[in-house]
Amino acid sequence: MSNAKDDDAVAGPVPVAPVPNAPTESGPVLAADGTPLKRSLSRALRRQKGRALLLVAPLLIFVLVTFIIPIGSMLFRSVENDIVSNTLPYTVQRLASWEAESGNLPSEDVYKAMYDDLFVAAEAKRHTRLGSRLNYEQTGISSLFRQSGRGVDDLAGDAADALEDAVPAFGEGETWYALMDAGSGEGNTTLLSNMRDRIGRLNDSAASAEMDFVPSAEIAAVLPRTARTYTEWAVYTVTEDERNPAERDPWELVSLALLEELPTADLSGLSAERAALLQQAQAVDFNVPSYRETLAEIDEEWGTVTPWETIQTHSSKYTAGYFLNAIDAQKTPDGYEWQPEEKQILLTLFGRTLFMSLMITGSCILLGYPVAWLLANLPAYKANLLMILVLLPFWTSLLVRTSAWKVMLQSQGVINDVLVWIGLVDDANRLVMINNQFGTIVAMTHILLPFMILPMYSVMQTVPPSYLRAAKSLGATNWTAFWRVYFPQSVPGIGAGSILVFILSIGYYITPEIVGGTSGVFISNRIAYHISSSLNWGLAAALGTILLAVVLVLYWCYDRIVGIDNVKLG
């Protein structure tokens, strides 16, 4: 018989030893180092992500530099249009209130502003670039700006000669500098800042060089145009020519502005030295002619409304004009309208590019599928030998392969000679297979065929042969087994190859340029032309952007219809 005391001891609660790091009501779970487990796991996860980011950082930087930034630059160039407003700022400002619909020429103030802007643009060698830009919109306006740049300084030169003959002191740079510089007095820093910005935008530079010159506030109040022009010249001299403006004569335009403003200027508020010098200049007998007549003498086109309409229409900093030109339309003072029929070619090129890219993709599928099937079902040693033949074109220059097709497809080429020899073609009626769409499709199919075979082959290799044997054992014919069992499993490879070939073909331009002639070129050839020959980068960027958008839309349609998840590379 057991002891009651012992029974109570056995039946009572047994004490449990505390478990290290066990959760308690008073605190969180701790890690081995004593820190909270949740914080320790978060820190470890951050370290793991950091290591992964460091591993992929080179690839990310490469993609950013070679892909994202160029595409962003292309998108920006397709709408950028600041050359007009930067080169002709005063003209654009005064031309904004002009109504082109009235048929009247702009006011004299607009012509004066154009004269000043043209003079500065010619000094900065920017007027030809402006003419080239506006020539995309109005044929012939480039020669207008080129000729005006050569003759715009005649009037200003006459004014400078008259001023220096009457007051020889104005022939020295020190005189102008002392007249225009604020010295220890009050300076017009706002004018200086504006001119720095103007020169920076005009010459695509920061215009941040150090200079001691600050325009005088009292001169700027009495002679605003003269002070503005001299300050513009001083900033240009320091930043672009890296010269000291105190030692050089200013532009002749400064003399012209001074002689035009002096007759009506109030010199009473100026210092005695400045007033005395300007009073001598006031006595100069120089008649400033009408700026409208001056520009019309340089080129009679300035006496019509056509160039002014073009400048006003395309004076905004951002424009849709490039995209309109890319679809054979144009921006006019009356709104948007189609270009003349003889200039409508780009939409035709877009349609031709899409059609021929689809034809090339289809021909690659028809020719590549049997080859890929053969590679996937032959013994390994035979498949490897045939794979070398498939990859052999990659070891030959693209230019050589394209030139070879040009030799083979021409009227006196190998293919025509063989057809004449076997009697299928008459010697007097040889086939025209080059410099047309047929030649482009044949040459590009040969070049892009390996890109179709390789994805299909990699997918076909994953299809077990036992599936076909099982289908045949259930009574299916060879065709039924292939069409209902094998082909559906090879569709992902067809999809991968089709996307690859289509995207490559839609952007090709070397092969179509060599074998395509006038009827077999792609829109990419036009993009290359505008980049390298016409230098119309805005239109080239707009064409590239539209081509990119078309590819993305087709990619989206493919994803909706077929499903991008069904695309496999093996």
Side-chain angles (χ1 to χ4, degrees):
M1 186 169 155
S2 60
N3 192 315
K5 185 176 180 181
D6 295 336
D7 292 340
D8 293 339
V10 173
V14 180
V16 180
V19 179
N21 300 334
T24 63
E25 297 180 359
S26 59
V29 179
L30 302 180
D33 57 357
T35 60
L37 183 59
K38 184 176 181 181
R39 185 189 306 168
S40 179
L41 290 175
S42 299
R43 184 165 58 242
L45 185 61
R46 286 196 300 271
R47 289 176 179 173
Q48 185 179 5
K49 290 182 178 179
R51 287 193 295 268
L53 181 61
L54 289 177
L55 290 175
V56 301
L59 178 60
L60 289 177
I61 295 174
F62 177 79
V63 171
L64 179 66
V65 173
T66 62
F67 185 73
I68 303 299
I69 294 179
I71 288 182
S73 176
M74 178 184 68
L75 293 173
F76 179 71
R77 280 187 177 275
S78 63
V79 296
E80 183 186 20
N81 188 50
D82 60 353
I83 186 172
V84 179
S85 58
N86 288 345
T87 310
L88 306 175
Y90 308 118
T91 304
V92 169
Q93 181 181 359
R94 287 164 175 77
L95 199 60
S97 58
W98 175 63
E99 296 181 359
E101 299 81 4
S102 64
N104 298 325
L105 292 173
S107 64
E108 180 69 12
D109 288 340
V110 176
Y111 278 91
K112 181 191 295 185
M114 173 59 75
Y115 186 91
D116 289 357
D117 287 336
L118 264 179
F119 190 100
V120 177
E123 292 291 337
K125 305 297 188 294
R126 189 68 179 263
H127 62 295
T128 54
R129 294 178 57 186
L130 173 64
S132 298
R133 164 65 188 98
L134 294 177
N135 199 70
Y136 301 147
E137 313 295 342
Q138 180 66 44
T139 304
I141 203 170
S142 177
S143 60
L144 170 65
F145 278 93
R146 190 161 46 247
Q147 182 173 343
S148 300
R150 290 193 296 264
V152 74
D153 59 348
D154 291 345
L155 173 61
D158 293 341
D161 292 341
L163 181 61
E164 293 175 14
D165 290 343
V167 186
F170 279 104
E172 301 177 359
E174 294 84 352
T175 301
W176 284 103
Y177 192 86
L179 177 66
M180 296 294 174
D181 186 34
S184 58
E186 182 181 355
N188 193 328
T189 56
T190 301
L191 175 60
L192 180 62
S193 176
N194 291 341
M195 292 303 103
R196 281 182 181 273
D197 182 60
R198 161 101 158 102
I199 293 299
R201 288 184 284 109
L202 188 64
N203 296 281
D204 299 324
S205 64
S208 58
E210 294 296 330
M211 60 186 298
D212 297 329
F213 171 77
V214 179
S216 169
E218 61 176 1
I219 290 293
V222 177
L223 305 170
R225 183 186 174 201
T226 306
R228 183 197 73 202
T229 307
Y230 184 89
T231 304
E232 197 166 15
W233 167 81
V235 174
Y236 182 88
T237 300
V238 173
T239 57
E240 302 300 324
D241 295 341
E242 299 181 354
R243 301 287 186 88
N244 184 359
E247 300 173 354
R248 294 178 57 83
D249 295 340
W251 291 329
E252 293 90 346
L253 182 62
V254 182
S255 300
L256 176 62
L258 179 65
L259 292 181
E260 185 176 12
E261 289 185 313
L262 273 178
T264 58
D266 183 10
L267 307 180
S268 58
L270 300 180
S271 62
E273 295 181 359
R274 284 176 171 168
L277 182 63
L278 292 177
Q279 285 172 357
Q280 297 180 48
Q282 269 185 330
V284 177
D285 184 16
F286 183 81
N287 182 29
V288 180
S290 167
Y291 287 97
R292 177 182 298 177
E293 296 176 358
T294 300
L295 290 177
E297 288 179 1
I298 296 175
D299 194 307
E300 60 183 12
E301 190 70 15
W302 290 116
T304 66
V305 298
T306 302
W308 302 106
E309 287 180 339
T310 304
I311 294 171
Q312 186 185 57
T313 303
H314 302 282
S315 60
S316 59
K317 291 187 176 181
Y318 302 99
T319 180
Y322 292 124
F323 283 99
L324 291 172
N325 292 341
I327 59 173
D328 294 328
Q330 59 183 343
K331 183 180 180 182
T332 66
D334 299 328
Y336 304 137
E337 60 183 35
W338 294 107
Q339 291 187 2
E341 187 174 353
E342 64 273 10
K343 293 184 177 181
Q344 295 182 17
I345 185 176
L346 297 178
L347 284 179
T348 302
L349 286 178
F350 271 116
R352 179 192 301 169
T353 301
L354 292 176
F355 170 75
M356 294 181 64
S357 297
L358 291 173
M359 291 291 294
I360 293 167
T361 303
S363 61
C364 285
I365 294 175
L366 294 177
L367 295 175
Y369 195 93
V371 177
W373 182 87
L374 189 64
L375 290 172
N377 290 277
L378 282 176
Y381 72 96
K382 293 183 179 179
N384 291 336
L385 180 60
L386 291 179
M387 181 59 71
I388 293 176
L389 298 180
V390 172
L391 297 177
L392 190 61
F394 287 127
W395 304 340
T396 308
S397 169
L398 173 64
L399 190 60
V400 172
R401 283 180 283 165
T402 304
S403 301
W405 277 111
K406 192 174 183 66
V407 173
M408 293 179 64
L409 293 175
Q410 61 184 340
S411 297
Q412 303 298 324
V414 176
I415 296 178
N416 265 305
D417 286 346
V418 172
L419 293 176
V420 171
W421 179 66
I422 62 179
L424 293 179
V425 175
D426 184 67
D427 187 45
N429 299 305
R430 291 178 173 241
L431 300 179
V432 179
M433 297 182 292
I434 199 68
N435 295 330
N436 52 27
Q437 295 186 15
F438 178 80
T440 301
I441 293 174
V442 170
M444 289 187 62
T445 298
H446 168 242
I447 291 170
L448 298 177
L449 189 58
F451 294 99
M452 180 66 74
I453 293 175
L454 294 177
M456 290 195 296
Y457 166 67
S458 64
V459 171
M460 290 178 182
Q461 268 193 323
T462 64
V463 180
S466 58
Y467 288 4
L468 289 176
R469 292 195 296 267
K472 294 178 182 178
S473 68
L474 294 175
T477 63
N478 289 335
W479 171 253
T480 302
F482 168 79
W483 184 251
R484 300 187 62 180
V485 177
Y486 190 88
F487 181 78
Q489 296 182 77
S490 65
V491 168
I494 298 175
S498 298
I499 291 177
L500 188 59
V501 170
F502 179 80
I503 292 178
L504 287 174
S505 63
I506 205 173
Y508 252 63
Y509 70 94
I510 296 179
T511 301
E513 185 70 25
I514 296 176
V515 301
T518 57
S519 61
V521 296
F522 286 6
I523 191 65
S524 51
N525 296 96
R526 202 65 182 174
I527 295 175
Y529 166 75
H530 287 303
I531 290 177
S532 59
S533 299
S534 72
L535 302 181
N536 190 351
W537 288 8
L539 180 56
L543 291 172
T545 302
I546 294 176
L547 193 61
L548 175 63
V550 169
V551 171
L552 293 177
V553 169
L554 292 176
Y555 182 85
W556 177 81
C557 293
Y558 183 91
D559 182 42
R560 298 287 294 178
I561 298 173
V562 179
I564 200 63
D565 294 337
N566 295 324
V567 174
K568 298 179 182 177
L569 293 174

